[in-house]
Every structure is written in C-alpha cells, then in structure tokens.
Amino acid sequence: MAVNAAERSAMDRALRLATRGPRGANPQVGAVILSPDGTVLAEGWHHGAGTPHAEVDALSKLARGDAHGATAVVTLEPCNHTGRTGPCAVALIEAGVTRVVYALDDPGAESGGGAERLRAAGVDVESGEQADAGHALIDGWLTAQRLGRPRITVKWAQSLDGRAAAADGSSQWITGPAGRADVHRRRAEADAIVVGTGTVLSDDPALTARDGDELLPHQPIPVVIGARPTPTEAAVHRHPHSPLFYATHDLQTVTADLHARGIQSVFVEGGPTLASAFIEAGLADRVLAYIAPVLLGGDNLALRDIGVASIDQARRLTIDEWVPLGSDLLAIAHPAAPTDPQNEGAA
C-alpha cells in the first residue's frame, strides 16, 4: 500500500516534532497519529531518557479506543524491547493501530525488530518514507550506535596553497564573512566543539556559536584536549556550558568518554596538530575544508603528519559537496570506502 498525501504530510510534521526533543544518548523521534480519514488525532515526541517514546507520548493524549483503526507515522521504527519504558510496537498493537509508516529502521540489536512484531500482529507496515530526512535528523545517534563514539567532523580553514597561517603565525582572518558565518551555523548543529590547549593558549577562543554578536539558541559543549593547563581567565570559562578538559592525547579515550556522556556529534576546530591527530587516528567521519583565494607560503600547513609516508598510503576522500561562500569555497568530504575506485591504493 503506497504512502498517501496525509501520511507524507504527517511525516513532515513528525520530523519537525522530533527536533523538540533533546539530543543525547537517545535519538530524537517524532510521531503523529492519524484517523482512517487522515485527520490528525495526536502528536508526540521523545522528551529524553526515561520518558515515554514518541509513539506512547502521542497515544497518551488519546482516550482509550480512540486509536482503533488509526495510522501511526513515526520517524524511527517503533522499538521492540523493554528498557526504561515498554516496547512501542506493543503499545501500538494494544491501542488498536492498524497501520504504521516510519522513516528509518532501528539499528539496535535489542530495540530493532518492531516492524516484524507489528506485522505478526496484523498491522500494515510501510518503511522508508522520507528516509534521507530521517537519517539526517539522527545521523549522530546512528553513528554512535554503529561505532560506539560520536560522529566527528574535522574542520579547518586554509589558503589556496594549503596554509593555516602566515609565516608570523597570524591567521585572522583567512576566510571571509560568509565562510565564518557558515562555521558558526555548523557549530550550533554539534553537541560539542573540540580544540587543543595550543589553540586556547594562542587564540583564546570563546567556542560559542554566534550570529553576529548574538549567541545562537543551541550551544555546543566546549572540550579542551591537552596536558597544558587552561588559564582561569580564558574565554572558554565564560561559555554558557561548563567546559570539559582532558589532560591526555589519547583521542580514543576522549571520544569514548564523550559517547558515555550522551554526546553524539563533535565539531573539531583545533589547529593543525589536533586536526591531524584526529585524521591519523581514523576518527574523522567528515571533513570541512574552507578554502580562501589567498596565497601565504611558508611552513604553517593546515595539516601536518597524518601517518602517510607514501602515495599508496594516501587517505582518500569522497567529495560530498562544493559550497561557494562569498569568495571562499567549502569542500565537504568523507573518507572513501576501501571498495571505492577513488580509494584504490589507500591504506
């Protein structure tokens, strides 16, 4: 049975509702309950760990029996396990829902399988509706489920000849206003922003996400990595969130701890040393390279040693998008898969 116009509209709404929930250890999920004629009966979203899931939140707004013959439109496959709350698949069956439309399969070994349980109970199930939008919504959570760590974006700004700073170390500003505004928007999409102690000591960054002089509604948690102490007067201490400090260079330990804290997405904005370390460790899921049409020369490269000794060890990337930003150009890329022809010969 094909998805109808009312169900497509309900999925649009469910995706918007999902963003009201917090980003953390659990995915953001939205749900809309439709009557047989396509009228919206109830809406819900997941409010955070330990609270009812989106489907149950929506059902709780209906009187007993009101969901008989209804359709549930959900951004993620209804769960099939008992954790802090019961299985959503069972709640839908017991409420009398006869059709479920969802965007993404639940990848969890324990929580997945809700669709099979629904079908076994005679419920009509349609999956994959607006799957791309559903994936974008919880991309960080999906990565955390698959890898056991946050989804990591490594960003840097460089001149056309690959330099991060001039010979005297000055780097403000390589890119123009449009590029800097884009960086702040992407900071606001992350759960945490990471720099090294070298960047804190040399640049004293605020690590906030701003629109001009105004703070954006969502602020990433500031994270500082390195053994050197951060001065008490550093700007990072005035961040809306208390910063996290890791006196180590073990990135696996850092990312594991961030994952344990429920952080799903990390924006690495340190200098060349930290960016290179994340790439060498194989922890960069996405690269953002802001390229300005200037030439600087000298030794201050945007990347340093990333563990490549010969061309056959090159870390190949697949370009996802080229984005013009005023006079600058943003390259968005991810590591090429070993089977990708672009990655032939890569380590």
Side-chain angles (χ1 to χ4, degrees):
M1 180 178 175
V3 174
N4 61 40
E7 292 165 347
R8 285 192 292 273
S9 178
M11 183 62 78
D12 288 337
R13 177 63 178 164
L15 289 163
R16 292 195 297 274
L17 289 169
T19 63
R20 298 183 183 183
R23 291 189 294 201
N26 293 338
Q28 293 174 299
V29 182
V32 176
I33 308 297
L34 299 176
S35 69
D37 67 0
T39 302
V40 174
L41 296 176
E43 301 176 336
W45 64 92
H46 186 44
H47 293 257
T51 66
H53 290 186
E55 304 93 315
V56 176
D57 184 45
L59 290 171
S60 71
K61 299 166 185 175
L62 297 174
R64 181 180 294 274
D66 284 357
H68 275 289
T71 295
V73 179
V74 195
T75 58
L76 184 66
E77 177 187 9
C79 70
N80 190 37
H81 81 302
T82 299
R84 297 185 186 179
T85 60
C88 294
V90 172
L92 293 170
I93 293 166
E94 292 179 345
V97 168
T98 57
R99 178 167 162 82
V100 172
V101 177
Y102 69 88
L104 287 180
D105 292 330
D106 188 323
E110 296 182 356
S111 56
E116 293 180 11
R117 191 165 191 168
L118 289 163
R119 290 190 179 103
V123 177
D124 181 51
V125 179
E126 188 77 31
S127 64
E129 171 60 21
Q130 299 194 43
D132 288 347
H135 190 286
L137 172 70
I138 58 171
D139 192 21
W141 180 80
L142 291 169
T143 298
Q145 288 291 104
R146 179 169 53 88
L147 300 177
R149 62 164 174 78
R151 181 175 186 266
I152 298 171
T153 297
V154 176
K155 167 264 175 183
W156 67 81
Q158 66 172 64
S159 62
L160 195 60
D161 56 346
R163 270 60 181 180
D168 64 356
S170 59
S171 61
Q172 293 184 323
W173 296 98
I174 290 177
T175 56
R180 297 196 295 274
D182 187 77
V183 169
H184 280 275
R185 180 179 65 80
R186 294 179 188 275
R187 283 184 182 182
E189 295 173 349
D191 295 333
I193 180 170
V194 178
V195 296
T197 51
T199 295
V200 171
L201 294 173
S202 62
D203 297 340
D204 194 24
L207 300 184
T208 52
R210 303 182 300 277
D211 181 4
D213 294 330
E214 299 293 324
L215 292 179
L216 292 170
H218 176 75
Q219 292 294 316
I221 297 169
V223 177
V224 180
I225 299 175
R228 287 180 289 180
T230 298
T232 56
E233 68 274 14
V236 68
H237 289 293
R238 298 189 292 276
H239 195 281
H241 296 298
S242 297
L244 299 174
F245 297 98
Y246 294 92
T248 179
H249 297 290
D250 185 344
L251 298 182
Q252 301 288 351
T253 296
V254 173
T255 55
D257 186 71
L258 293 176
H259 175 59
R261 293 173 182 270
I263 291 173
Q264 297 178 7
S265 57
V266 166
F267 194 78
V268 178
E269 201 173 343
T273 299
L274 190 64
S276 301
F278 270 92
I279 291 172
E280 183 177 9
L283 293 172
D285 302 303
R286 185 173 64 160
V287 165
L288 302 179
Y290 292 82
I291 305 167
V294 297
L295 300 174
L296 295 175
D299 298 327
N300 291 320
L301 296 173
L303 285 183
R304 295 175 181 167
D305 184 9
I306 58 171
V308 174
S310 60
I311 193 65
D312 63 335
Q313 297 177 332
R315 295 176 182 261
R316 307 283 179 177
L317 301 176
T318 297
I319 297 293
D320 298 312
E321 192 175 2
W322 293 100
V323 183
L325 295 168
S327 61
D328 304 324
L329 189 62
L330 167 62
I332 304 176
H334 68 270
T339 56
D340 190 322
Q342 297 184 53
N343 202 32
E344 290 181 0

